[in-house]
Amino acid sequence: MSNNALLEQVRTAHRLLAAFYQRLHSNIRDLGAALDLNFYVWEPVYTARPTNLSTNPLERWQWDMLPAMASYFIFKTDCESKQVEVGHYMVEIKVDSDTGFDGKVQRGQQPDALNLATSVEQAESKLSVRVYAPTEELDLYWYHDIWRKCVGESVNQEPTLSDKYSIVSAQFEMNISDLMEEGALEQLIESTNALIMRVQEKVEATVV
């Protein structure tokens, strides 16, 4: 392949990625709006954020330049960052567009983009939705004290009480390809709303 052909592929890839995230992020934004939630914070899953003005990006992982590839988008009910009370909750949308990349160091170096263990064909593109809700008033911050400590706990669609705090959590996941189908956004909204209701029911049962 000639250098010109290779760079043509790079330009095509950039444009396709921009179009993909324009559509995906629009769906995530619409999901939050439909559930009457406020955007709270976002964070890359495996990489650092792109460097700031005075940090040399040439000395960092180039994967850091692709934060949208795997990111958390967190929304919450209309409450203050430290207003952790029964009735309020936080919704995490995790985007993992290439499950073949896990951010782990390989032989002391950043992962080689052309030699990941999982091929492009074997990897998947996943979106998960997770809900966090307190069973009592807590003098904690939603992001620093709850999300960052509970995010690593394994949960499924059955609401579960956290081992760390009085927080009930549950999640579901889907292939991002399914989200591209007609009517998929409405189904995502319905599924997320149902998940919130199950979590809130678990909270009410725990409080009683």
Side-chain angles (χ1 to χ4, degrees), residues 3 21 26 34 76 94 105 111 117 119 127 133 168-169 177 188-189 197 206:
N3 290 336
Y21 289 120
S26 175
K76 63 179 178 61
K94 178 185 177 184
V105 174
S119 69
L127 181 143
V168 172
S169 186
S177 60
L188 176 61
I189 293 170
M197 291 178 64
T206 304

Side-chain angles (χ1 to χ4, degrees), residues 25-179:
H25 291 179
S26 175
N27 283 339
I28 293 174
R29 182 181 64 247
D30 291 347
L31 172 63
L35 298 173
D36 198 26
L37 297 172
N38 297 325
F39 174 79
Y40 182 33
V41 295
W42 80 279
E43 183 171 300
V45 177
Y46 305 117
T47 64
R49 298 174 187 273
T51 60
N52 58 31
L53 182 67
S54 60
T55 301
N56 186 353
L58 305 178
E59 296 176 353
R60 304 287 292 273
W61 280 21
Q62 280 64 60
W63 289 101
D64 293 348
M65 296 300 173
L66 307 172
M69 174 181 158
S71 295
Y72 294 107
F73 299 91
I74 302 173
F75 295 77
K76 63 179 178 61
T77 51
D78 188 14
C79 60
E80 298 298 325
S81 295
K82 204 173 183 180
Q83 189 180 352
V84 182
E85 302 172 352
V86 175
H88 288 298
Y89 51 87
M90 182 168 54
V91 176
E92 162 204 303
I93 294 94
K94 178 185 177 184
V95 173
D96 191 351
S97 58
D98 184 350
T99 57
F101 174 75
D102 59 10
K104 294 180 180 178
V105 174
Q106 296 179 352
R107 297 180 294 278
Q109 302 293 326
Q110 64 172 308
D112 184 341
L114 299 181
N115 288 289
L116 297 180
T118 304
S119 69
V120 170
E121 294 77 16
Q122 293 171 323
E124 297 180 284
S125 298
K126 296 282 192 178
L127 181 143
S128 66
V129 177
R130 182 168 174 176
V131 178
Y132 304 78
T135 60
E136 62 179 328
E137 182 175 347
L138 299 171
D139 187 25
L140 299 170
Y141 285 97
W142 282 104
Y143 171 73
H144 294 287
D145 301 319
I146 295 177
W147 182 79
R148 287 189 63 85
K149 289 181 171 62
C150 296
V151 65
E153 293 183 329
S154 178
V155 296
N156 52 37
Q157 295 190 52
E158 185 65 29
T160 305
L161 187 63
S162 169
D163 293 331
K164 295 182 173 69
Y165 291 120
S166 302
I167 298 292
V168 172
S169 186
Q171 75 173 33
F172 69 85
E173 70 174 25
M174 63 184 294
N175 288 317
I176 293 179
S177 60
D178 294 335
L179 190 55

